[in-house]
Amino acid sequence: MANNYTLIKNADQYKEYCIQLDDLFNGNITEQVQDEIDLLTLLIEKYDEDQNSVQESDPITLLRSFMVDHQMKAQDLTAILGISKGYVSDILNYKKGLSKDVIRKLADYFKVRQEAFNRPYNLL
């Protein structure tokens, strides 16, 4: 694949790269494809850092932001995370913290480092 990737400059390019990365994960992962995955991941993480979305947000604010970006509802998280609607509601309303398993699944799904969700925040 001869893609000429550049630093991400806007949200549209960011979304495009996320889709491409997702497609790569769903295909046959050769050494060349793994290099492309690594490069895209690096570019996406750099954009995230530059936008301060990961740096300054608590994990729930970040999760809600990702849900908006991906046009997701709380119910979508139940399938992704394998947890009940009530537990998702408690998480989104700061009543329960994120378990290690939930953090890992969220990081995998949204293609970010686990540290993005593994930060201290106050519960109600």
Side-chain angles (χ1 to χ4, degrees):
M1 294 181 189
N3 287 314
N4 294 321
Y5 296 112
T6 62
L7 286 176
I8 300 173
K9 294 172 183 64
N10 57 52
D12 289 338
Q13 186 181 10
Y14 176 83
K15 287 178 188 172
E16 180 184 323
Y17 279 19
C18 287
I19 291 168
Q20 288 178 14
L21 182 62
D22 206 34
D23 290 345
L24 290 171
F25 273 115
N26 292 324
N28 182 21
I29 300 180
T30 62
E31 190 174 331
Q32 183 180 359
V33 171
Q34 185 61 53
D35 288 345
E36 196 169 341
I37 287 171
D38 293 344
L39 177 59
L40 274 173
T41 300
L42 195 64
L43 292 170
I44 289 167
E45 286 175 355
K46 168 89 172 103
Y47 182 80
D48 281 337
E49 288 172 17
D50 290 349
Q51 298 302 307
N52 292 322
S53 62
V54 175
Q55 254 66 23
E56 295 176 5
S57 297
D58 72 61
I60 305 310
T61 302
L62 177 65
L63 176 56
R64 288 179 174 278
S65 169
F66 280 137
M67 290 172 67
V68 169
D69 290 347
H70 291 81
Q71 289 139 10
M72 297 172 68
K73 294 182 166 63
Q75 186 171 350
D76 299 322
L77 290 179
T78 63
I80 294 163
L81 302 175
I83 59 178
S84 71
K85 287 188 281 187
Y87 188 27
V88 169
S89 175
D90 286 348
I91 288 171
L92 292 174
N93 291 301
Y94 293 88
K95 293 180 181 171
K96 288 198 176 161
L98 299 170
S99 70
K100 288 181 182 180
D101 188 49
V102 166
I103 289 169
R104 184 180 48 75
K105 288 177 180 176
L106 288 172
D108 285 348
Y109 185 82
F110 292 113
K111 313 280 188 273
V112 296
R113 293 185 180 142
Q114 290 183 19
E115 290 82 11
F117 293 107
N118 193 13
R119 308 156 114 20
Y121 63 99
N122 295 323
L123 297 176
L124 299 177

